[in-house]
């Protein structure tokens, strides 16, 4: 099933969890400028590096991206 990275990320959102990916997902949800239709690693990565002060480490994005790719099966 095809889905954007943002759509996948929203499946990781859990306001009761305090892990890094859940926090990333919640903050991306609140980020109105997040590239919601993007599916390209470099496009999303560049956006996050330049605009996402809420992401303490790009390692969190990389881990989430790997889960996203694995979910595509």
């Amino acid at each position: 099933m095809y889905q954007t990275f943002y759509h996948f990320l929203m499946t990781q959102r859990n306001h009761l969890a305090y892990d890094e990916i859940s926090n990333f997902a919640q903050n991306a949800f609140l980020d109105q400028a997040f590239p919601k239709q993007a599916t390209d690693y470099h496009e999303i990565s560049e956006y996050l590096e330049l605009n996402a002060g809420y992401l303490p480490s790009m390692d969190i994005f990389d881990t989430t991206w790997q889960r996203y790719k694995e979910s595509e099966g």
Side-chain angles (χ1 to χ4, degrees):
M1 178 170 97
Y2 170 80
Q3 64 182 339
T4 66
F5 176 75
Y6 179 80
H7 184 263
F8 171 79
L9 186 58
M10 292 303 100
T11 68
Q12 306 301 301
R13 223 172 122 221
N14 180 350
H15 69 282
L16 299 176
Y18 295 101
D19 64 276
E20 294 174 325
I21 293 177
S22 293
N23 288 337
F24 173 29
Q26 180 62 26
N27 286 316
F29 173 74
L30 298 172
D31 181 355
Q32 295 184 1
F34 193 94
K36 294 176 176 66
Q37 299 305 314
T39 57
D40 179 70
Y41 173 88
H42 297 291
E43 178 183 354
I44 299 167
S45 177
E46 183 176 340
Y47 173 81
L48 292 170
E49 288 174 2
L50 298 174
N51 301 292
Y54 55 79
L55 190 62
S57 169
M58 287 301 289
D59 290 340
I60 299 166
F61 167 64
D62 289 336
T63 299
T64 310
W65 181 266
Q66 186 63 36
R67 289 186 186 180
Y68 166 62
K69 296 312 282 182
E70 289 170 1
S71 77
E72 290 183 321

